[in-house]
Amino acid sequence: VPVFLFVAAPYIRRYVAGGRCKSTARLEGKVVIITGANTGIGKETARDLARRGKVIIACRDTAKAEAAASEIRAETGNQEVIAKKLDLADTKSIREFAERFLAEEKELHILINNAGVMLCPYSKTADGFEMQLGVNHLGHFLLTFLLLERLKQCAPARIVNVSSLAHHGGRIRFHDLHGEKSYNRGLAYCHSKLANVLFTRELARRLQGKFQRQEGFTANALHPGSVYSDLVRHSFVMTWMWKIFSFFLKTPCEGAQTSIYCAVAEELESVTGQYFSDCQPAYVSPRGRDDETAKKLWSVSCELLGIQWD
């Protein structure tokens, strides 16, 4: 068995790594925002895109964000890698980030909603939302709303939402959206990732006909794969499992490939409302294709955030 594993190891690793983004598209003169890009797949996405154009790393921890930006600037030689403060668990911070960005930057071409929390104990955001739904869905929903006009003005533009295969286990529990009646940290993560898929679907539907066809304004979601990162830090069991089975998990660089693909691949210029994995279309759960739930989630999200998004 050890001999077999030694011989098979390169093939196993190649299979685990999955698809790679082969596009060499340049982003000169274009601006990209990536949330949560100080670590994991977000940082690797920023590292790749910094070789192509201007990247803004938007993170809660400004010290870590600046350290990541500094590292990427040194490695790529691109001085236009900028760290900005953004706490997705606080709508005030989201609005301040958007206000500063719109005042300082005249263009925005790609928004990658990458940041996320996973398996955290029950807690609430500054605005009283269950943490995983609040950060993973509602925070990015508000950020996209606030930046949408700038994206429209700079079209062709792309919105990329990092979801997960975990959306298959999710459901939108409108009767207990914030887990106050019952809470399971694993299921709450699944619910939030389903919300990402439904948000993408409804956003693409609303953009279709208005902007997408003539300007290439798209919104797509993706599953990055099972990635060896600190996303599971809130679970002792998952942390140890990740260490034990790390050989069978993607590296952050491998996990970033589908995010990069959705952001730059030329063949996706007019593709919208889709869900990708390993740089190719992937199966969406029946709940992720429920248009009525998507419309209701949109309406409820607007109500919770106090915005009007028609």
Side-chain angles (χ1 to χ4, degrees):
V1 173
V3 174
F4 168 76
L5 288 176
F6 179 79
V7 173
Y11 301 97
I12 294 171
R13 275 304 311 155
R14 200 174 303 152
Y15 174 79
V16 169
R20 292 194 69 83
C21 177
K22 298 175 182 176
S23 171
T24 57
R26 303 293 301 168
L27 299 174
E28 279 98 349
K30 295 192 175 184
V31 180
V32 182
I33 291 176
I34 309 173
T35 66
N38 64 312
T39 187
I41 67 171
K43 183 178 178 182
E44 295 306 320
T45 303
R47 194 190 308 274
D48 180 282
L49 298 185
R51 296 188 175 96
R52 307 172 191 253
K54 183 171 184 174
V55 175
I56 292 173
I57 293 175
C59 304
R60 178 177 55 85
D61 189 323
T62 50
K64 288 182 178 178
E66 184 48 55
S70 179
E71 177 188 321
I72 294 170
R73 285 195 297 266
E75 183 180 319
T76 64
N78 181 2
Q79 296 308 303
E80 290 192 309
V81 180
I82 303 166
K84 299 280 187 183
K85 168 80 172 180
L86 170 65
D87 184 354
L88 288 160
D90 185 347
T91 58
K92 182 182 178 184
S93 173
I94 298 169
R95 290 181 179 279
E96 287 175 350
F97 168 84
E99 187 177 334
R100 285 197 308 272
F101 172 83
L102 294 172
E104 295 169 4
E105 301 286 344
K106 300 307 175 191
E107 298 197 335
L108 175 60
H109 302 87
I110 302 170
L111 171 62
I112 302 179
N113 291 318
N114 164 83
V117 292
M118 180 181 182
L119 302 175
C120 50
Y122 188 77
S123 59
K124 290 187 174 182
T125 68
D127 301 273
F129 309 140
E130 184 275 312
M131 186 62 70
Q132 296 188 78
L133 184 76
V135 170
N136 299 351
H137 168 61
L138 290 169
H140 283 128
F141 188 96
L142 178 60
L143 179 65
T144 305
F145 167 75
L146 295 171
L147 298 177
L148 193 71
E149 286 303 317
R150 185 58 50 85
L151 283 160
K152 286 179 182 177
Q153 293 164 10
C154 298
R158 302 187 189 193
I159 297 166
V160 179
N161 294 324
V162 179
S163 180
S164 169
L165 184 69
H167 86 270
H168 285 270
R171 63 188 308 167
I172 306 303
R173 303 167 69 246
F174 290 109
H175 67 286
D176 188 24
L177 209 55
H178 302 295
E180 293 169 325
K181 296 176 182 176
S182 65
Y183 180 75
N184 177 290
R185 64 173 77 180
L187 288 177
Y189 178 72
C190 295
H191 302 334
S192 72
K193 294 290 101 179
L194 174 60
N196 292 154
V197 172
L198 292 169
F199 168 45
T200 304
R201 188 177 183 87
E202 180 63 10
L203 176 59
R205 187 189 71 80
R206 287 167 177 260
L207 296 176
Q208 190 86 27
K210 290 183 179 179
F211 302 97
Q212 186 268 332
R213 279 185 188 145
Q214 63 268 40
E215 298 180 350
F217 191 10
T218 65
N220 290 298
L222 67 100
H223 166 55
S226 297
V227 181
Y228 188 64
S229 72
D230 62 355
L231 190 61
V232 297
R233 63 187 176 277
H234 292 293
S235 170
F236 177 79
V237 173
M238 288 290 285
T239 298
W240 273 103
M241 284 182 64
W242 249 227
K243 288 180 179 178
I244 294 168
F245 295 105
S246 61
F247 182 78
F248 300 98
L249 298 172
K250 290 186 178 186
T251 64
C253 180
E254 292 163 351
Q257 294 304 307
T258 307
S259 295
I260 298 163
Y261 174 74
C262 289
V264 303
E266 296 89 342
E267 62 267 31
L268 299 188
E269 189 174 326
S270 59
V271 175
T272 192
Q274 301 301 304
Y275 172 75
F276 293 87
S277 178
D278 283 328
C279 300
Q280 60 186 2
Y283 179 73
V284 178
S285 74
R287 289 195 181 105
R289 289 179 270 123
D290 188 330
D291 289 332
E292 291 307 309
T293 300
K295 291 173 186 174
K296 185 175 180 181
L297 178 63
W298 185 284
S299 176
V300 170
S301 299
C302 287
E303 188 178 325
L304 288 169
L305 293 164
I307 60 176
Q308 191 167 0
W309 190 354
D310 296 323

